[in-house]
Amino acid sequence: MNPAEDYILDQKEPFKSILLQLQVLIETTIPEVELKFKYRIPFYYLDGKPFCYLNVPKKKAYVDVGFWSSAHLSVHQDKMVTEGRKVMKSLRYPSLDHLDAEVLIEVLQNALEVNHKGFWK
């Protein structure tokens, strides 16, 4: 197993289940992504460039799915969280019940369309 998978499997519930579901959705929606362990969290890369990450922040009660090219995303902006970050946006899931697969898939597809544009706008 690689460190990114260890990170996922070492999480407490409900975060482990959320991360596993996110992993399945991400990898089935965009099969060409590569799961790496960067910045001490699972980070998906596409064509050698950062795509999105999975994070369970310490002392927080959610899983964060951050999108590298979030400055260029155009779908579901009302569901994205910035919380003090200048560019990075994410979807947050405190439980599996909050995970809307349709929304995530649409954001992933939008991120795929704009990934070549990079981090900044």
Side-chain angles (χ1 to χ4, degrees):
M1 229 176 320
N2 70 38
E5 291 170 340
D6 287 339
Y7 175 97
I8 292 169
L9 295 174
D10 288 343
Q11 297 300 319
K12 295 178 181 173
E13 290 296 345
F15 308 122
K16 180 162 89 174
S17 294
I18 297 168
L19 287 165
L20 289 169
Q21 183 66 32
L22 290 169
Q23 185 179 17
V24 167
L25 288 167
I26 292 167
E27 293 177 12
T28 56
T29 303
I30 305 172
E32 58 271 22
V33 292
E34 182 182 359
L35 181 61
K36 297 183 177 190
F37 193 69
K38 299 285 186 173
Y39 314 105
R40 298 185 298 187
I41 57 174
F43 221 113
Y44 281 100
Y45 275 68
L46 181 64
D47 299 327
K49 297 176 186 169
F51 183 71
C52 71
Y53 67 82
L54 305 174
N55 187 27
V56 180
K58 292 186 185 326
K59 300 181 182 178
K60 303 285 182 172
Y62 56 80
V63 173
D64 211 20
V65 182
F67 294 90
W68 190 258
S69 57
S70 59
H72 306 282
L73 294 176
S74 59
V75 299
H76 299 294
Q77 293 294 305
D78 58 318
K79 294 174 177 58
M80 304 289 279
V81 177
T82 57
E83 194 174 276
R85 299 175 284 193
K86 292 181 181 180
V87 179
M88 189 68 69
K89 295 177 186 173
S90 62
L91 294 170
R92 291 199 175 153
Y93 304 107
S95 70
L96 269 175
D97 295 337
H98 287 87
L99 201 161
D100 184 335
E102 186 176 318
V103 168
L104 176 63
I105 289 168
E106 289 173 6
V107 172
L108 287 167
Q109 290 168 337
N110 186 213
L112 178 62
E113 293 168 4
V114 300
N115 197 53
H116 67 284
K117 294 183 176 182
F119 188 75
W120 300 102
K121 198 163 196 171

